[in-house]
Amino acid sequence: MKGKEYKAALEAMREELVAMARWVRVTGQRIVVLFEGRDTAGKGGAIRAMSEKLNPRQCRTVALGTPTEAEQGQWYFQRYIAHLPTTGEIVLFDRSWYNRAGVEKVMGFATDSQVEQFLDQVPIFEKMLVDDGILLFKYWLGADQEKQEERLRERLEDPLKRWKLSPIDLAARDKYDAYTAAREEMLRQTHTEWAPWTLVDFNDQKRGRLTLVRDLLDRLPDTAVEPPAIDFPDLGCKPLAESYGAIQPIANYPEN
């Protein structure tokens, strides 16, 4: 998808996202969006497309690292519960509790019994969230292995993206089929009436972002809330220039 076409479409949707965030704040809604999917599919870019123009105090991104020793001894869902939204908030999970059914299962970080217990418990856990009024959206971002390889190579060769290339990414290269099987089992057991999955093709990341954002906006109720009127009278004097006494600013970056 061409960049100009993408930017125009996204800009229009971002106006709707800002309106949605205002509706969430005014009405006290709580929204949780889970971003799961293939390595390199584009979860981070999709999250930025959705959140970049929103107030970061209202819309939070949660990307948890490896569990600490203390967290490993907790109920599996416990560390995620601490990041759920309060009234008026939106939380975007860059990977979520579904790590247990994906990365942890395929890479052997969780036992078969732990995975089975998770798959038994997660529909109940999500039913509790939804019954309490949380609006829960679960997205799985897909990409062909050819695209995955192309993006991994790009991370390898681009010094600005090298940090994205983790040992887990490299170890997962020959486990594409295993991840597919794990995903299908996860979908069979956790695609519920109250918390359904939505799968989005991210072979074209720009089109995938637009598809995801459009779907989310279309599934929300009418979020039209007029912004409050703000009185902005004339300043009444000539605008003042910045002035410094105790300390002077550093020199500007050179023009040429």
Side-chain angles (χ1 to χ4, degrees):
M1 189 176 194
K2 300 296 184 182
K4 186 176 181 180
E5 178 187 0
Y6 166 72
K7 289 179 180 178
L10 182 59
E11 193 63 26
M13 291 185 197
R14 279 176 165 169
E15 290 187 23
E16 294 184 63
L17 286 168
V18 169
M20 176 270 290
R22 184 165 55 245
W23 169 78
V24 169
R25 186 185 68 250
V26 170
T27 61
Q29 299 293 328
R30 291 170 292 162
I31 292 182
V32 171
V33 187
L34 310 186
F35 293 80
E36 294 287 343
R38 297 282 185 185
D39 292 330
T40 79
K43 294 178 287 295
I47 289 171
R48 284 191 297 274
M50 184 175 293
S51 64
E52 194 170 31
K53 300 300 183 181
L54 303 185
N55 184 342
R57 294 185 181 88
Q58 180 193 16
C59 180
R60 294 185 284 112
T61 298
V62 176
L64 300 184
T66 303
T68 64
E69 184 177 351
E71 289 172 336
Q72 290 175 21
Q74 296 173 347
W75 178 44
Y76 180 73
F77 296 97
Q78 192 167 336
R79 72 180 188 138
Y80 294 101
I81 290 172
H83 297 278
L84 292 173
T86 188
T87 55
E89 285 189 342
I90 303 162
V91 173
L92 312 177
F93 279 94
D94 186 349
R95 294 199 181 278
S96 67
W97 44 86
Y98 281 99
N99 265 353
R100 174 134 295 180
V103 174
E104 292 185 23
K105 173 182 172 65
V106 174
M107 301 306 296
F109 299 146
T111 65
D112 289 344
S113 62
Q114 287 175 322
V115 175
E116 289 172 9
Q117 182 182 52
F118 168 79
L119 292 173
D120 286 342
Q121 289 183 347
V122 71
I124 302 168
F125 172 67
E126 291 175 349
K127 184 70 160 56
M128 293 171 66
L129 300 183
V130 173
D131 285 350
D132 198 57
I134 288 178
L135 301 177
L136 176 62
F137 302 90
K138 305 189 305 190
Y139 288 99
W140 203 93
L141 284 54
D144 297 337
Q145 192 171 28
E146 182 179 4
K147 278 293 182 184
Q148 190 177 65
E149 284 289 294
E150 178 184 313
R151 292 166 187 169
L152 287 171
R153 174 66 64 178
E154 183 182 0
R155 291 180 180 183
L156 178 65
E157 296 175 350
D158 185 345
L160 299 181
K161 295 183 178 180
R162 180 71 66 85
W163 65 271
K164 293 183 176 182
L165 192 60
S166 72
I168 296 297
D169 293 333
L170 297 176
R173 289 179 64 208
D174 61 351
K175 298 183 182 296
Y176 190 90
D177 284 342
Y179 272 103
T180 300
R183 179 199 64 205
E184 291 303 297
E185 181 62 23
M186 177 192 76
L187 293 176
R188 278 192 289 270
Q189 298 202 46
T190 66
H191 179 62
T192 60
E193 179 183 352
W194 54 89
W197 278 99
T198 301
L199 277 56
V200 186
D201 180 354
F202 262 70
N203 281 304
D204 179 335
Q205 291 180 325
K206 293 186 180 71
R207 194 174 299 279
R209 293 170 202 153
L210 296 177
T211 302
L212 191 155
V213 173
R214 182 72 270 157
D215 178 80
L216 176 69
L217 290 168
D218 287 346
R219 289 164 63 186
L220 289 168
D222 184 1
T223 60
V225 175
E226 288 298 321
I230 297 176
D231 184 25
F232 195 72
D234 186 77
L235 188 59
C237 65
K238 182 179 179 180
L240 301 176
E242 184 65 276
S243 62
Y244 305 92
I247 299 175
Q248 296 301 308
I250 62 174
N252 287 340
Y253 185 82
E255 295 184 10
N256 297 315

